């Protein structure tokens, strides 16, 4: 099986001045994940590596760069899933951890549970020796500025939610195993303790070797209502291609509950799709040693991996 990885940096509206950084961020993540696959690593290793790369990139609403809740704090959610045996691990409302996706994987591999939240996740992180970092370290000036604006009496937080930025990855490795990973800071100025779709299996992501893997982004409550990730795999089980399955599910979410979002998909044959009903979604994929990436509907750049790695060394 030829390995494939697809990543997204969130669906929504990407402001002009942030486009380049978002493009570079998803490309870097896809190349890192693909590097893992090329060295014989597993799909789970690859999606974790890709998502960690974006958690560390302040352009995205995950890890460093996460948006703030109503109290001005970062609370993050993440999920990872292994399509081989349907094992999954997730964390929700976690603070003071640089890479929630790493913690989610530890939940999957070191506990009998699938989801740990808030204080329990914090205790588990300590037990696993994950370094605690000051919450301030995860906060960017942009997130703080947005939080302040949303506190103003005449503000419209909904307007700001359009620029989301959840991150995710799906992959198939040389042995035909699939995996997904998704990580987010959630919604700006959300209630304390709000958990969206990301940490919920079947909503924020799903992976099953029998059909494929998907990671979602967009309005969390809408995604949860239609269980978007599992819905896409259901459509593929009925014989739809990744692209048609993604479009059908996104269209259903829009017409049924008025929700917009984006998805990345890979099926068990290694066919992939990156589709969205929002204005934009940053995405990148590597297959057959070729990198594809874009932000706008219909936009697709293609480079060889060697050329992309060269550009990466030169600063994109």
């Amino acid at each position: 099986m030829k390995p494939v990885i697809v990543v997204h940096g969130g669906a929504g509206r990407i402001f002009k001045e942030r486009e380049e950084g978002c493009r570079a961020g998803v490309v870097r993540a896809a190349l890192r994940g693909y590097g893992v696959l090329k060295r014989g690593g597993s799909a789970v290793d690859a999606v974790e590596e890709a998502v960690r790369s974006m958690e560390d990139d302040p352009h995205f609403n995950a890890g460093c760069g996460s948006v703030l809740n109503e109290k001005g704090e970062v609370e993050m959610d993440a999920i990872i899933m292994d399509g081989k045996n349907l094992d999954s691990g997730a964390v929700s409302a976690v603070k003071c951890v640089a890479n929630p996706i790493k913690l989610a994987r530890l939940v999957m591999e070191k506990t009998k549970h699938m989801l740990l939240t808030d204080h329990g996740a914090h205790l588990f992180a300590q037990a696993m020796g994950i370094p605690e970092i000051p919450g301030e370290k995860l906060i960017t000036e942009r997130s703080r500025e947005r939080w302040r604006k949303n506190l103003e009496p005449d503000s419209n937080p909904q307007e700001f939610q359009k620029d989301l930025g959840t991150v995710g990855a799906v992959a198939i490795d040389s042995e035909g195993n699939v995996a997904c990973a998704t990580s987010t800071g959630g919604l700006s100025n959300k209630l304390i303790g709000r958990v969206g779709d990301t940490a919920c299996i079947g909503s924020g992501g799903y992976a099953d070797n029998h059909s494929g893997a998907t990671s979602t982004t967009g309005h969390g409550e809408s995604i949860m209502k239609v269980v978007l990730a599992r819905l896409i795999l259901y459509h593929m089980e009925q014989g739809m291609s990744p692209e048609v399955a993604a479009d059908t599910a996104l269209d259903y979410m829009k017409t049924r509950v008025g929700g917009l979002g984006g998805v990345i998909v890979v099926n068990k044959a290694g066919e992939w799709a990156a589709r969205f009903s929002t204005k934009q979604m940053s995405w990148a994929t590597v297959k057959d040693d070729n990198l594809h990436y874009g932000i706008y509907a219909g936009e697709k750049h293609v480079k060889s991996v060697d050329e992309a790695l060269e550009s990466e060394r030169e600063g994109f």
Side-chain angles (χ1 to χ4, degrees):
M1 187 80 206
K2 285 183 177 171
V4 181
I5 187 157
V6 194
V7 308
H8 70 74
R13 180 182 61 191
I14 299 166
F15 294 106
K16 261 281 181 261
E17 70 274 12
R18 301 179 59 75
E19 275 183 22
E20 229 24 72
C22 289
R23 257 195 209 98
V26 289
V27 164
R28 186 179 309 116
L31 291 171
R32 284 196 184 170
Y34 191 66
V36 169
L37 294 170
K38 285 295 270 190
R39 293 191 294 273
S42 70
V44 171
D45 290 338
V47 294
E48 182 191 1
E49 180 60 34
V51 166
R52 278 173 66 164
S53 167
M54 292 184 284
E55 285 176 339
D56 292 340
D57 186 330
H59 283 94
F60 302 111
N61 174 18
C64 175
S66 288
V67 297
L68 311 185
N69 66 14
E70 58 180 355
K71 242 179 89 182
E73 298 172 338
V74 164
E75 285 185 319
M76 302 166 290
D77 305 333
I79 192 168
I80 194 163
M81 187 166 181
D82 184 348
K84 185 162 55 174
N85 47 19
L86 305 189
D87 279 352
S88 176
V91 291
S92 64
V94 295
K95 305 174 178 129
C96 305
V97 169
N99 297 109
I101 201 64
K102 183 177 181 187
L103 191 55
R105 183 166 183 181
L106 287 168
V107 171
M108 175 171 80
E109 294 181 346
K110 304 290 184 191
T111 78
K112 291 190 173 78
H113 306 313
M114 289 175 78
L115 170 59
L116 291 180
T117 192
D118 197 0
H119 184 57
H122 175 71
L123 293 176
F124 176 66
Q126 285 180 326
M128 290 290 108
I130 298 233
E132 193 174 325
I133 62 164
E136 289 292 312
K137 276 260 174 78
L138 298 170
I139 299 176
T140 59
E141 197 39 57
R142 179 169 171 267
S143 293
R144 200 184 293 284
E145 185 56 33
R146 171 187 287 191
W147 174 72
R148 278 198 206 101
K149 276 194 176 143
N150 284 341
L151 291 177
E152 289 167 10
D154 58 348
S155 81
N156 176 11
Q158 261 49 56
E159 190 50 35
F160 284 94
Q161 304 305 1
K162 290 178 184 167
D163 176 25
L164 291 163
T166 294
V167 305
V170 294
I172 187 165
D173 60 30
S174 54
E175 298 194 347
N177 295 314
V178 298
C180 70
T182 313
S183 182
T184 189
L187 293 178
S188 191
N189 294 65
K190 62 189 176 179
L191 293 179
I192 292 164
R194 178 264 186 188
V195 177
D197 63 295
T198 297
C200 300
I201 189 169
S203 292
Y206 203 81
D208 183 349
N209 281 7
H210 293 172
S211 46
T214 181
S215 167
T216 67
T217 168
H219 183 246
E221 281 70 12
S222 298
I223 290 170
M224 290 157 91
K225 286 175 184 177
V226 301
V227 197
L228 185 62
R230 189 65 189 86
L231 181 60
I232 291 165
L233 293 196
Y234 167 77
H235 288 322
M236 294 202 300
E237 286 160 5
Q238 306 307 303
M240 286 185 191
S241 69
E243 191 164 302
V244 174
D247 287 346
T248 304
L250 285 169
D251 188 52
Y252 175 71
M253 183 169 81
K254 189 175 177 179
T255 54
R256 188 73 178 85
V257 297
L260 300 179
V263 298
I264 50 172
V265 191
V266 66
N267 71 8
K268 62 182 181 182
E271 298 167 324
W272 63 276
R275 309 293 290 172
F276 47 100
S277 53
T278 51
K279 202 171 171 189
Q280 293 143 290
M281 180 178 82
S282 54
W283 62 273
T285 187
V286 187
K287 181 180 181 178
D288 292 329
D289 287 330
N290 279 319
L291 165 77
H292 308 251
Y293 62 97
I295 285 184
Y296 292 91
E299 177 195 0
K300 187 194 279 187
H301 305 281
V302 185
K303 280 183 181 179
S304 74
V305 165
D306 290 342
E307 190 189 339
L309 287 168
E310 193 54 46
S311 308
E312 180 75 13
R313 279 191 287 271
E314 291 164 6
F316 203 69

